[in-house]
Amino acid sequence: RFCASATAAGLAESLTLPIDITKVRLQTSAVASGQLAIGREIVATEGVGALWKGVVPALFRQCSYTGLSLVLYEPVRNYIAGDVPAAELPFWKRVLAGGTAGGLSIFAVNPTDVVKARLQNSPESLPVVGTLKQVWARSGVSGLWAGWSPNVARCFVGNAAELGCYDQFKMMLSEHGPAACTEGSAWTHLGASTGAGFVSSVASNPVDVLKTRLQASAGLSDEGLFSLAMRIPREEGFGAFYKGFWPLFQRKVTWTVIFFMAYEQLR
């Protein structure tokens, strides 16, 4: 499960990273802008290669985090299920299992998220090791775990939706869907992945904004979660919590579809 999930995560991450950098720039900007405008600006001022900024920590993060999440999910789900067969497990228990596996996994790899956010938010080409050293020198261990609480919350919500809903949607499609949606078919995985990605995007965007801003300023600012959560609506309005929603939605759905289809086939 670990090898299959890590390989699938690396593929999905590489193909969708350009969408992610537009999301990060939108979420950290106090000025309203559009996804296409941000993308054009990045290419014009920093080059096409800038769309893949942070690819090294991104791949390390996704392969480690996703692999660990998938390894933990089934044992956690089975523990929560007890003597109840997995097929009869209530939906909320699937959600709890997915969220728990995701939260534990992302906490372990939070430093890679911090470095990735710093690299993606900078118009300059920053070295990975140099950025890591700068964060450590400025803030120590706390800097490497900047934004861990919204990151865990985002991944709990995201994994609960992605893993819990994916499991549920897959079962519903195989039992009640069109004839082509048989158990284990590519159409079933595609439909379940798309539905799980959409639910996850809607639920996790506000905490994703908080996570991104805290991590992008790691080693540069000591602003805390509560202060940031109060300042954003005061200065930018509550709509700012949904900045970057469209690229988040695009990436979630695309990433989830690529990942789960690759994961199921590889496994």
Side-chain angles (χ1 to χ4, degrees):
R1 289 199 305 271
F2 182 86
C3 290
S5 60
T7 303
L11 176 64
E13 188 72 11
S14 299
L15 294 175
T16 61
L17 198 63
I19 303 174
D20 189 54
I21 193 171
T22 62
K23 180 205 70 136
V24 169
R25 296 288 177 95
L26 285 169
Q27 289 181 337
T28 55
S29 174
V31 180
S33 185
Q35 181 183 0
L36 291 178
I38 289 286
R40 284 196 296 266
E41 182 183 355
I42 292 172
V43 172
T45 59
E46 303 169 45
V48 175
L51 295 173
W52 276 270
K53 274 186 175 179
V55 66
V56 173
L59 287 174
F60 186 82
R61 180 257 195 201
Q62 280 295 359
C63 291
S64 303
Y65 158 68
T66 309
L68 189 55
S69 293
L70 265 294
V71 167
L72 290 174
Y73 173 64
E74 290 187 17
V76 170
R77 182 192 64 186
N78 293 340
Y79 176 79
I80 291 173
D83 296 329
V84 178
E88 299 175 14
L89 193 66
F91 176 65
W92 71 268
K93 287 189 175 182
R94 295 178 188 277
V95 170
L96 179 61
T100 301
L104 291 172
S105 302
I106 200 60
F107 179 79
V109 301
N110 195 82
T112 61
D113 246 350
V114 169
V115 175
K116 179 173 81 80
R118 282 290 309 278
L119 294 177
Q120 289 184 323
N121 196 47
S122 174
E124 303 172 1
S125 296
L126 301 177
V128 174
V129 176
T131 301
L132 189 63
K133 288 181 177 178
Q134 183 189 40
V135 173
W136 176 268
R138 173 72 165 75
S139 307
V141 174
S142 63
L144 296 177
W145 266 268
W148 72 265
S149 51
N151 201 14
V152 169
R154 181 187 73 95
C155 285
F156 187 96
V157 172
N159 256 51
E162 288 172 18
L163 292 175
C165 291
Y166 175 76
D167 226 8
Q168 186 73 13
F169 290 156
K170 187 170 67 171
M171 186 187 306
M172 290 168 63
L173 284 169
S174 61
E175 292 180 358
H176 308 293
C181 292
T182 56
E183 185 175 359
S185 74
W187 288 111
T188 301
H189 299 320
L190 177 62
S193 299
T194 302
F198 175 77
V199 173
S200 178
S201 300
V202 173
S204 64
N205 202 92
V207 285
D208 191 56
V209 170
L210 293 171
K211 186 269 310 184
T212 299
R213 293 204 183 186
L214 287 171
Q215 292 182 336
S217 62
L220 302 174
S221 170
D222 294 322
E223 184 173 27
L225 173 62
F226 182 77
S227 173
L228 178 63
M230 294 296 101
R231 182 172 62 80
I232 288 176
R234 183 175 65 248
E235 296 181 358
E236 304 171 46
F238 282 98
F241 284 118
Y242 274 87
K243 278 187 173 180
F245 173 79
W246 288 115
L248 178 66
F249 169 67
Q250 293 161 19
R251 186 169 191 253
K252 279 277 188 183
V253 173
T254 307
W255 197 100
T256 306
V257 168
I258 294 171
F259 170 75
F260 276 116
M261 292 189 71
Y263 171 71
E264 293 285 357
Q265 299 306 315
L266 287 166
R267 189 179 67 166

